[in-house]
Amino acid sequence: MAQTSHGIGGLTYDAKKRTWPAEFNVFLALVILVGAFELIGRVFLGDSFLFNTRDNVDAIFNQQRLEIIILQVSIVGIIAIGVTQVIITGGIDLSSGSVVGATAMIAMSFAQVATVNGNPNPKAMFVGWTDLPVIVPVLVAIGCGLLAGLVNGALIAYTRIPPFIATLGMMVTARGIAKWWSKGQPISFPTESFAGIGKGLMPVVIFISLAILFQLILTYTKYGKHCYAIGSNEDAARMSGIKIANHKILVYVIASILASLAAVVLCSKNLTAQSGMGVMYELDAIAMAVIGGVSLSGGRGSIIGTVIGSLIFGVIISGFTFLRLDAYYQEMVKGVIIVGAVVLDQWRQRRRAIGA
């Protein structure tokens, strides 16, 4: 709450003034961004960014393009939900993209059909382990995330090495496992039930459901309060009785499991798993969180903000495609946005410190 000082007869008093939630500013940025693309489209292209009006062919293409982008944002958004919790506690997770790659390869190995067009599956990893119930590859994926999160969390909690180094090591290791698992060959032909996980708008439904769940958890549970307490002041949290090591391990386990679930959605949507899946996803997820108002210093942020940050990412990608700009411009702009969001976060912290 901001305070303003008023003077009466030489005396001063402070009056509390209501302020908008931090997420409102992020949402306002989203609206401005959409408006900017809409204005540019109408002025320079003679067309609408939101409502393609030129002809039916372009309209169909535009609808397909937007749907693809929404689906991509949803998959990375699932990762961003876990990354948000890590950053709130004052940590960082660089391994989530590689965990996606390794999990996709391993989980798909247990989701394959026995025969393709009446012939034995030419890409079956385990001949005796085909046509399994969909719960099997999902549990395998969760197990992969659980293991990766335990390693990350234990290294950070008990060896006291920086999260950047611990998760960087996991990033390299998991990517190596993804390439080693099938000697670099893709794994395809999943069962129909497994393929159904990523069919249509199911990734969006999964993303929104997880976002609502973890927003409620962070807001109303002891787990969420401990996340914010550790990120705000770890020493004070320890003195108040919070088991810092156990909580950090739990946070990194949740983040890795969410990355593994994103891998399941991704490979089921694509009907194949490749070792290169998830490259740079960790940076996109971190960017979504930071754009959404999550402080890299810890102790501040929300899942709602991260969801809005993911929408901003989607609008940027969609807008650049709409303007027919080359893909490498998107990478440049994403880099600028990440740096700009961090600079803005630092400015807000300095301003808050001065006002305290």
Side-chain angles (χ1 to χ4, degrees):
M1 301 290 288
Q3 291 185 337
T4 56
S5 180
H6 302 272
I8 300 178
L11 300 176
T12 62
Y13 69 94
D14 291 330
K16 293 183 178 181
K17 185 176 73 174
R18 292 184 179 275
T19 58
W20 293 108
E23 292 81 8
F24 177 81
N25 296 327
V26 183
F27 180 74
L28 183 60
L30 173 62
V31 173
I32 293 174
L33 189 61
V34 172
F37 279 123
E38 181 73 16
L39 179 62
I40 293 172
R42 290 186 179 276
V43 172
F44 295 100
L45 301 180
D47 194 20
S48 170
F49 171 61
L50 294 176
F51 310 102
N52 193 302
T53 56
R54 282 182 294 189
D55 51 63
N56 291 333
V57 175
D58 280 349
I60 294 173
F61 170 77
N62 201 41
Q63 182 181 7
Q64 291 175 341
R65 170 173 56 81
L66 289 174
E67 183 176 332
I68 291 172
I69 290 169
I70 292 172
L71 289 172
Q72 290 175 336
V73 165
S74 297
I75 292 172
V76 181
I78 295 173
I79 302 171
I81 293 172
V83 169
T84 296
Q85 298 170 66
V86 170
I87 297 176
I88 287 175
T89 61
I92 198 75
D93 189 356
L94 300 179
S95 66
S96 51
S98 295
V99 171
V100 168
T103 301
M105 297 295 286
I106 297 173
M108 182 63 87
S109 301
F110 294 89
Q112 294 181 284
V113 294
T115 59
V116 178
N117 297 326
N119 299 314
N121 186 349
K123 293 185 177 295
M125 283 287 293
F126 306 114
V127 177
W129 292 78
T130 53
D131 291 322
L132 297 174
V134 68
I135 190 64
V136 175
V138 172
L139 289 178
V140 168
I142 292 175
C144 292
L146 176 64
L147 179 60
L150 283 173
V151 173
N152 281 338
L155 286 174
I156 293 166
Y158 295 123
T159 69
R160 302 295 180 89
I161 63 176
F164 179 91
I165 300 300
T167 57
L168 180 64
M170 177 58 68
M171 178 182 76
V172 177
T173 302
R175 186 62 63 186
I177 292 173
K179 296 176 181 178
W180 162 80
W181 184 257
S182 66
K183 303 299 184 288
Q185 298 299 315
I187 303 175
S188 307
F189 306 117
T191 61
E192 185 176 349
S193 57
F194 184 82
I197 296 175
K199 186 176 294 184
L201 293 178
M202 277 301 297
V204 180
V205 174
I206 294 172
F207 171 46
I208 294 175
S209 300
L210 289 172
I212 293 173
L213 172 64
F214 280 99
Q215 175 63 33
L216 294 174
I217 289 174
L218 284 179
T219 304
Y220 297 109
T221 68
K222 184 184 295 186
Y223 166 84
K225 292 178 174 61
H226 287 181
C227 284
Y228 287 105
I230 293 171
S232 298
N233 191 322
E234 184 171 322
D235 292 333
R238 182 178 291 106
M239 293 177 64
S240 66
I242 298 176
K243 297 180 180 180
I244 305 295
N246 292 348
H247 191 84
K248 284 186 176 180
I249 292 174
L250 178 59
V251 169
Y252 280 93
V253 165
I254 290 174
S256 292
I257 288 177
L258 287 173
S260 295
L261 292 178
V264 170
V265 177
L266 179 62
C267 62
S268 65
K269 181 175 77 73
N270 293 341
L271 303 180
T272 186
Q274 300 181 15
S275 60
M277 280 181 164
V279 173
M280 299 296 287
Y281 277 18
E282 63 276 352
L283 297 184
D284 287 349
I286 293 171
M288 288 177 180
V290 174
I291 292 171
V294 180
S295 174
L296 286 173
S297 300
R300 185 166 55 85
S302 69
I303 303 298
I304 293 176
T306 297
V307 171
I308 301 174
S310 69
L311 293 177
I312 290 176
F313 244 57
V315 168
I316 292 172
I317 297 172
S318 177
F320 274 60
T321 306
F322 170 70
L323 297 177
R324 292 175 173 79
L325 296 179
D326 292 325
Y328 47 76
Y329 286 120
Q330 298 177 19
E331 302 298 326
M332 296 179 189
V333 171
K334 282 198 289 187
V336 172
I337 290 173
I338 294 171
V339 174
V342 174
V343 170
L344 178 60
D345 175 60
Q346 294 297 315
W347 176 78
R348 283 188 302 221
Q349 289 188 55
R350 287 196 296 268
R351 185 178 179 184
R352 187 178 294 105
I354 292 173

